[in-house]
Amino acid sequence: FKDPRSIPPFIYDFANKRWEKFNSEKVCVISYARIQGKTSLVNHFRSSRLLLKHEKYRPLIFSESGKLEGLHLSPGLSPGR
């Protein structure tokens, strides 16, 4: 989240709710992130086996303004580019 004030409404809307549109019994569980910050996330996924998967499964990277920075995280892409 870019603004901490957006967290309570998100939790209210999604926490412990079922994914009804997908005809699923799954329930949304919200927890603190193990990895904090964009740079740390990019570095984590850069060394992840996820990058060996098809690009449609790879993480997307967005700028602070919300603009898509690149189609998918790939080896050699530095944070903020």
Side-chain angles (χ1 to χ4, degrees), residues 7-80:
I7 297 171
F10 179 85
I11 291 172
Y12 178 81
D13 289 342
F14 292 99
N16 302 312
K17 304 248 173 93
R18 287 186 49 231
W19 298 103
E20 295 174 5
K21 290 184 180 182
F22 299 101
N23 194 24
S24 172
E25 295 297 319
K26 292 181 180 179
V27 174
C28 179
V29 175
I30 298 173
S31 62
Y32 289 102
R34 184 175 54 87
I35 302 168
Q36 296 287 328
K38 181 179 177 180
T39 301
S40 295
L41 281 168
V42 169
N43 288 334
H44 168 76
F45 283 110
R46 184 176 287 123
S47 61
S48 168
R49 297 189 71 187
L50 187 61
L51 295 183
L52 302 175
K53 304 278 185 194
H54 189 278
E55 74 175 32
K56 72 180 181 180
Y57 300 113
R58 296 178 192 165
L60 300 174
I61 300 175
F62 294 88
S63 68
E64 283 291 317
S65 68
K67 182 179 176 186
L68 185 60
E69 292 183 345
L71 292 179
H72 297 277
L73 177 66
S74 60
L77 182 63
S78 61

Side-chain angles (χ1 to χ4, degrees), residues 1-11:
F1 294 94
K2 290 171 51 176
D3 183 342
R5 292 175 293 188
S6 62
I7 297 171
F10 179 85
I11 291 172

